[in-house]
Amino acid sequence: MAKPVKKNTKELTRLQNLTKGFIKENPIFVFLLGMCPALAVTSTLETSFGMGLLVIFVLVLSNVVVSLIKDLIPREVKIPAYIVIISTFVTIVGMLTEAFAPLLFESLGIFIPLIVVNCLILGRAESYASKNGVINSAIDGLGMALGFMFALMAIGLVREFMATGAIAYGVYLPIGVEGSIVNLDTYLFSIAVFSGPAGGFIVIGTLLAIHNSIQISKQKKADLARQRLIEEKKRIALERKQQKEMESAGGNA
Amino acid sequence: MLAKLKIALVLLIIGATSGLLIWGANELTVDRIEENRERARLAVYVDMFPNVDLSSMEFESIENSSVVEKITLYDSNGNLLGYALRGVHNNALGFVNVVVGVDRNNNIIDVKITETANTATYVQDLRSDYLPNLKTQDIRNVSYDTSTGATITYNSVRIIIEDAKLLVAGDVILEAYQTVLENAESYEMIFEFSDEAFNTEYIIFDADENRIGYAYHAEIEDKPMALIVDINDVFLGLVGVDHSDLDSAFTAFDNYLNTAIEDITVDVSGSTEEVIGEMFEAVQTLLTETFHAEAPYLVRFSEVFEDDNLVGYAYIGRASGFNGYNIVRVTINLDGELTELETITSRDTPGYYNDVFGNFQDFYGITELEESTAIDVYAGATGSGDSLYRIVSSALNYHNERLGE
């Protein structure tokens, strides 16, 4: 009789693949990848959003291409090949940004070409796209990049608000209107340190601490629930055993 | 071998495909990127002149000046708005690119440092704290901050503004001199007076850089004017500077034209004429009691008496230090020995200047000064030390030449 094939219970659904990068495997708050742009471009919400869009473009496309040609690339040169692919898309996205969003291009500056060496992108190419199909790789790239973007935006939101008392839009992105979502009187609320590197560290550290404490708390609850389940099962098993013993003792009598 | 060929082929295909994609993206975006860069370059002009019609801007390349481009700006109705002057100056820290905006009334609209290799922190301080002070000033008479903490960069900005002044406002001083001295080609301010009826002294040069005259500037009833003499102190005339109209008052002095200034007795009537007369007499006193010094870094000299006996000569010298000009009086006795140094004006940082000046006072008694000797006492203030060395050595050399004749 053939042994039944054990189903891989850890295989994710496509939805889970998409959303895993939002919280559970967030590139910034869990894996601590891409910390350089996380500090450098998150002085405003809009630049954070802009960088996030660029990373989505690069990560999705590079994952797709790597997945498409993964069987053609010899093992010895796979990393250089991945880097060429990633840098091609970074160059293209740089040109598109300079052409259609020049203010964003100027604001992001050197951090656009530095997307090439963002560990997130090479890491996903190596660890996922080179081992999975095209659709799943695309979804993985999209999910991780969205998680990266949301993390950047969370940092940018806090930093811009703390530094200026306002959240502006339309300044860097060509959306046709310019204004602010919130705008407190800056004489009352403006802590300039948050617009600088020190403020970036403070905000990232704080958000990391909040994220980790929530995860730890969830993990503790899950552990507690599992512990209770195990104890309940033990108790039920013991009761059954005792009942059987009583029944067999009654039968003998 | 086959495996290596396969690797090479794969990398070649990937590289070629990448190149093709990048080329395609470039073709799609190159025009737009160029347009954005041009717009960014012009943005500084739009910022200074919000009503400018970009299509009607006139660009003129300039040579032999720190200003490299003069842009004339008009509004959509063709009315002149003003000028933007783009200048480049290289200093000890690198290049500084500046744009000076001037309206049609010669008032500075703004001064912007657009690009520079100088220290970013100091440049930012200039941008926020000192360049705004230049706004609304008449470019023909700009008052600069004396202490900015970013001297080298600020000096570059000042040089560009001064060159911009000549292009925009015209060289009104030279134009004034040329009404009396037709062959005047250039001039140099050599002295500023603080308590006289006139305020500045200029040397006038011809095209071959020979001295052809001197000019003494004053403001009479808020109108700038100059008294001009030739190299022998013969009175050549009074001129209004920058089209100031004092001609009717000047006619009272026509009788004195082409007369040695020391031989003139001023006798004029009229309120304006009398004020000009006071200025005239003050210049007369200066030129009678002192002599022009025709040597580098020296302005003039006078005789020094003790108990009615001539004991030496005092030379007033002027040379650029670190922050600007230093003016020093050098007294030398008849034996050619340095006997006294006195600072009349110094624009250098007092702490540095005073230290090195004190060291130069140790040279009393010398009859000549070699640079190798002077350099030992610069005390870390090279700019101040250089200016003092040039003045003292020039005075000693000139004195020895004169008395040797």
Side-chain angles (χ1 to χ4, degrees):
Chain A
M1 191 170 154
K3 267 190 175 175
V5 174
K6 195 173 181 181
K7 197 176 176 182
N8 183 1
T9 55
K10 288 189 180 171
E11 198 169 306
L12 300 172
T13 65
R14 283 187 177 168
L15 184 62
Q16 285 172 328
N17 194 15
L18 177 69
T19 58
K20 70 178 188 286
F22 291 4
I23 303 281
K24 209 169 161 189
E25 292 183 24
N26 186 277
I28 289 181
F29 294 129
V30 176
F31 295 142
L32 297 179
L33 297 174
M35 298 304 285
C36 187
L39 280 166
V41 305
T42 53
S43 53
T44 67
L45 177 65
E46 213 174 6
T47 51
S48 308
F49 178 65
M51 175 58 91
L53 287 178
L54 303 188
V55 169
I56 289 173
F57 180 93
V58 172
L59 187 49
V60 170
L61 287 177
S62 59
N63 264 17
V64 165
V65 172
V66 166
S67 181
L68 271 172
I69 64 173
K70 62 182 183 294
D71 296 326
L72 301 173
I73 302 175
R75 195 170 50 86
E76 296 90 343
V77 295
K78 64 175 180 177
I79 298 297
Y82 296 164
I83 289 176
V84 170
I85 292 165
I86 293 166
S87 61
T88 300
F89 289 118
V90 169
T91 305
I92 291 170
V93 85
M95 287 182 193
L96 291 173
T97 308
E98 190 175 4
F100 297 104
L103 292 176
L104 181 66
F105 179 82
E106 196 181 320
S107 166
L108 294 178
I110 192 67
F111 294 98
I112 294 180
L114 282 177
I115 294 172
V116 176
V117 295
N118 190 328
C119 317
L120 169 66
I121 298 173
L122 188 61
R124 295 322 289 175
E126 162 66 13
S127 65
Y128 195 94
S130 64
K131 297 166 186 165
N132 289 276
V134 174
I135 303 289
N136 284 337
S137 297
I139 293 171
D140 173 81
L142 181 62
M144 296 303 277
L146 280 172
F148 184 74
M149 184 173 79
F150 293 150
L152 288 183
M153 287 175 68
I155 299 165
L157 182 76
V158 174
R159 285 183 70 186
E160 185 177 3
F161 183 72
M162 297 293 280
T164 65
I167 305 292
Y169 60 85
V171 176
Y172 299 104
L173 292 173
I175 57 176
V177 288
E178 198 173 317
S180 57
I181 302 166
V182 175
N183 194 355
L184 304 181
D185 186 338
T186 54
Y187 283 111
L188 296 176
F189 199 96
S190 168
I191 308 172
V193 72
F194 283 98
S195 64
F201 276 107
I202 292 169
V203 171
I204 287 180
T206 306
L207 291 176
L208 259 171
I210 294 170
H211 179 275
N212 284 348
S213 74
I214 292 171
Q215 296 306 308
I216 289 169
S217 169
K218 276 187 182 171
Q219 188 65 35
K220 275 186 182 167
K221 282 182 186 166
D223 288 344
L224 198 61
R226 192 167 56 248
Q227 188 68 25
R228 282 192 186 138
L229 189 64
I230 292 169
E231 283 171 5
E232 183 65 19
K233 283 184 177 174
K234 280 184 182 173
R235 186 184 64 78
I236 292 170
L238 188 63
E239 279 178 3
R240 281 191 186 152
K241 188 180 171 186
Q242 284 172 346
Q243 195 168 1
K244 272 188 183 169
E245 283 173 357
M246 277 173 64
E247 281 173 1
S248 66
N252 288 341
Chain B
M1 185 64 184
L2 266 175
K4 286 195 172 111
L5 276 174
K6 185 186 173 191
I7 290 170
L9 185 65
V10 166
L11 288 177
L12 182 67
I13 292 170
I14 291 174
T17 310
S18 295
L20 208 61
L21 285 172
I22 291 172
W23 174 81
N26 184 58
E27 287 299 303
L28 277 173
T29 57
V30 65
D31 290 337
R32 198 162 170 131
I33 288 173
E34 199 50 49
E35 194 184 312
N36 288 340
R37 286 180 184 169
E38 182 66 10
R39 199 174 291 141
R41 192 177 78 84
L42 297 177
V44 67
Y45 307 128
V46 175
D47 191 43
M48 288 181 182
F49 299 89
N51 298 330
V52 66
D53 176 15
L54 290 175
S55 62
S56 65
M57 290 164 70
E58 293 173 358
F59 296 85
E60 180 189 346
S61 294
I62 307 294
E63 290 179 359
N64 300 322
S65 171
S66 64
V67 173
V68 297
E69 193 174 42
K70 177 182 172 185
I71 302 110
T72 309
L73 301 118
Y74 303 90
D75 65 14
S76 53
N77 296 325
N79 301 315
L80 175 67
L81 291 174
Y83 307 93
L85 297 112
R86 188 169 65 80
V88 180
H89 187 255
N90 289 311
N91 57 39
L93 301 175
F95 70 91
V96 182
N97 291 356
V98 175
V99 174
V100 182
V102 182
D103 68 16
R104 58 174 183 234
N105 298 319
N106 293 321
N107 296 315
I108 295 175
I109 290 176
D110 204 353
V111 178
K112 287 191 186 291
I113 298 175
T114 53
E115 204 179 346
T116 180
N118 288 194
T119 312
T121 312
Y122 297 138
V123 171
Q124 189 50 41
D125 286 344
L126 284 184
R127 282 185 174 131
S128 56
D129 298 336
Y130 297 102
L131 295 188
N133 297 341
L134 298 168
K135 289 184 188 180
T136 71
Q137 289 199 53
D138 190 326
I139 197 171
R140 294 167 294 187
N141 188 22
V142 179
S143 171
Y144 298 99
D145 288 292
T146 53
S147 176
T148 62
T151 307
I152 295 175
T153 309
Y154 194 67
N155 274 346
S156 291
V157 173
R158 179 162 51 189
I159 286 168
I160 292 171
I161 292 174
E162 288 300 308
D163 282 349
K165 175 181 75 175
L166 296 179
L167 290 166
V168 171
D171 199 338
V172 294
I173 293 177
L174 188 62
E175 284 172 14
Y177 294 166
Q178 285 172 340
T179 59
V180 173
L181 284 166
E182 287 176 359
N183 56 337
E185 274 300 318
S186 61
Y187 54 87
E188 183 188 349
M189 199 239 319
I190 54 171
F191 207 74
E192 285 175 281
F193 300 86
S194 56
D195 55 358
E196 298 281 357
F198 53 95
N199 49 43
T200 43
E201 179 180 13
Y202 288 78
I203 307 176
I204 307 170
F205 301 93
D206 64 10
D208 297 324
E209 296 191 7
N210 300 315
R211 294 186 188 204
I212 57 173
Y214 301 90
Y216 300 87
H217 286 238
E219 280 203 6
I220 306 295
E221 296 169 358
D222 292 329
K223 295 176 184 173
M225 58 151 286
L227 183 158
I228 299 180
V229 298
D230 70 8
I231 56 172
N232 298 314
D233 292 344
V234 171
F235 174 59
L236 296 180
L238 299 169
V239 295
V241 178
D242 193 18
H243 312 294
S244 67
D245 182 18
L246 289 165
D247 290 350
S248 56
F250 291 162
T251 55
F253 296 83
D254 285 349
N255 293 337
Y256 309 133
L257 291 174
N258 301 313
T259 308
I261 201 163
E262 60 190 6
D263 295 334
I264 295 171
T265 304
V266 176
D267 181 18
V268 293
S269 59
S271 59
T272 305
E273 287 81 351
E274 284 172 7
V275 174
I276 297 174
E278 285 174 14
M279 177 254 186
F280 198 109
E281 286 174 344
V283 173
Q284 200 175 34
T285 304
L286 175 75
L287 295 181
T288 307
E289 293 179 355
T290 66
F291 310 94
H292 298 293
E294 295 194 23
Y297 309 113
L298 296 183
V299 178
R300 59 183 57 263
F301 65 96
S302 56
E303 294 163 329
V304 177
F305 292 92
E306 271 181 23
D307 301 325
D308 295 332
N309 296 319
L310 178 70
V311 296
Y313 294 88
Y315 298 87
I316 293 180
R318 176 177 175 268
S320 59
F322 188 76
N323 283 343
Y325 282 104
N326 297 317
I327 300 173
V328 174
R329 179 180 287 113
V330 182
T331 307
I332 303 171
N333 65 20
L334 295 176
D335 294 328
E337 295 168 342
L338 176 68
T339 58
E340 193 180 354
L341 292 173
E342 181 193 347
T343 300
I344 297 174
T345 308
S346 170
R347 290 208 169 106
D348 287 347
T349 311
Y352 293 107
Y353 179 83
N354 293 339
D355 277 348
V356 74
F357 183 79
N359 291 341
F360 267 78
Q361 288 174 315
D362 293 339
F363 290 141
Y364 288 171
I366 61 170
T367 56
E368 62 179 345
L369 182 61
E370 296 285 336
E371 190 172 8
S372 54
T373 309
I375 209 166
D376 288 338
V377 305
Y378 279 6
T382 310
S384 300
D386 260 350
S387 69
L388 286 169
Y389 161 71
R390 286 194 289 263
I391 294 168
V392 172
S393 65
S394 191
L396 286 168
N397 293 339
Y398 185 58
H399 178 86
N400 293 333
E401 276 174 27
R402 282 187 50 249
L403 295 194
E405 288 173 357

